Amino acid sequence: MDIFKSIKKVLIKNTDAMITVTPLIAEAYSKQYNIAPPKLLLTCPTYTKPALSNDIFRKKFNIRADQKIYLYQGGLLPKRGIEEILGAFEQLNNQFVIVFLGFGTLVDMVKKAAAKNENIFFHEAVYQAELPDFTGSADFGFGLLQGSTRNHQFALGNKIFEYIKARLPILCSNMPGFKQIMESNMGIVIQDHNNILAIKNASIEIQNLEKEKYLEALEIAAKKYNWENQEKALLDIYEGLYEK
């Protein structure tokens, strides 16, 4: 491992351009290796206007119109808040519905909880091209990371951008990377994101957000965090290399 670190230390100062995916990672590289901050290229989806919901989850799981659908999409893995979200929704009544969409080592845990609770559902992973229709069929989106590693601390999280694209108010963990994206009225940053009661209370509280305000905030975010803007940044990097 030490030899790879040594090689990295030498090579990283001899690049014509370096790209990272979050501002915090760029800052960390700059400090650690005494280099100019790397260029940023965020992993954002394309921009689209809000689409009418296809109500995929309501149709598939027979969820009533008066029930609010919360969505967790992505890897069903440890340190992603899965256990805590399950614990919170086991305490909430069936006006609060959670759908887990994805795959991973905790699928069986989710399926067992779904078998015991009428407000918890599991949906297998879908192709990326299909995902926007599924995301847009929910009312709120969960993005929880709980690890103490820099990977979790610095992450922006693809699912956060996917929720923004769908204009879903977001419930996210109190991580530095997430907090760089979350603006007022976009949702709730759960301060104690390892706590079942805190997640339960945030799930209740987010329903009090004014629709007009959160749609406005998410529209601003969607116009900022999209691939069209990132594509321009990438082309600028290439142009700079060509000029050299």
Side-chain angles (χ1 to χ4, degrees):
M1 181 62 73
D2 288 339
I3 189 170
F4 288 115
K5 286 184 178 179
S6 298
I7 293 172
K8 183 177 181 181
K9 188 175 182 179
V10 172
L11 294 180
I12 203 168
K13 294 186 177 183
N14 291 277
T15 60
D16 292 310
M18 181 177 173
I19 297 171
T20 61
V21 293
T22 83
L24 291 175
I25 292 176
E27 183 181 334
Y29 272 125
S30 179
K31 288 181 179 178
Q32 184 172 349
Y33 296 104
N34 192 29
I35 58 174
K39 305 294 185 182
L40 286 176
L41 195 66
L42 308 184
T43 53
C44 302
T46 57
Y47 174 85
T48 58
K49 288 287 187 181
L52 291 175
S53 171
N54 290 323
D55 273 337
I56 295 172
F57 298 129
R58 294 191 189 279
K59 294 171 183 176
K60 181 177 179 64
F61 298 121
N62 197 28
I63 299 170
R64 300 191 311 270
D66 63 300
Q67 294 174 293
K68 294 297 184 181
I69 300 175
Y70 296 71
L71 175 64
Y72 174 95
Q73 65 185 38
L76 299 174
L77 302 166
K79 297 295 183 182
R80 304 271 178 114
I82 307 299
E83 299 96 322
E84 290 77 11
I85 295 172
L86 287 172
F89 277 78
E90 285 170 349
Q91 296 178 20
L92 290 164
N93 62 45
N94 66 9
Q95 293 296 114
F96 299 81
V97 172
I98 177 74
V99 176
F100 291 89
L101 172 65
F103 62 91
T105 57
L106 299 184
V107 165
D108 286 343
M109 176 187 290
V110 173
K111 287 182 175 180
K112 287 177 182 178
K116 296 177 182 178
N117 298 273
E118 61 180 10
N119 65 330
I120 298 175
F121 298 94
F122 168 75
H123 194 293
E124 66 279 356
V126 299
Y127 291 111
Q128 188 68 31
E130 300 175 291
L131 189 59
D133 285 336
F134 284 82
T135 309
S137 294
D139 296 300
F140 308 102
F142 270 107
L144 298 185
L145 291 176
Q146 299 172 309
S148 58
T149 64
R150 290 202 292 182
N151 181 43
H152 276 205
Q153 293 284 323
F154 293 175
L156 299 181
N158 288 354
K159 63 173 61 67
I160 300 296
F161 294 134
E162 289 160 0
Y163 295 150
I164 290 172
K165 178 185 175 79
R167 312 310 196 271
L168 295 191
I170 302 159
L171 300 112
C172 72
S173 47
N174 184 29
M175 290 291 187
F178 286 172
K179 290 192 292 184
Q180 286 194 327
I181 297 176
M182 292 291 288
E183 301 287 348
S184 297
N185 299 314
M186 282 175 57
I188 295 176
V189 175
I190 305 173
Q191 300 301 317
D192 189 1
H193 52 250
N194 295 304
N195 185 282
I196 289 174
L197 181 60
I199 293 172
K200 174 185 174 182
N201 289 338
S203 300
I204 296 170
E205 182 184 347
I206 200 167
Q207 292 197 19
N208 295 325
L209 290 181
E210 294 182 30
K211 187 172 184 178
E212 183 177 339
K213 288 185 177 180
Y214 74 65
L215 286 178
E216 180 181 2
L218 289 166
E219 177 63 21
I220 291 171
K223 288 180 177 177
K224 180 178 181 181
Y225 299 113
N226 59 64
W227 176 246
E228 287 79 1
N229 289 336
Q230 301 310 306
E231 184 180 43
K232 292 175 185 176
L234 181 60
L235 291 174
D236 286 343
I237 294 170
Y238 289 155
E239 185 176 340
L241 290 174
Y242 179 77
E243 290 174 352
K244 287 184 178 181

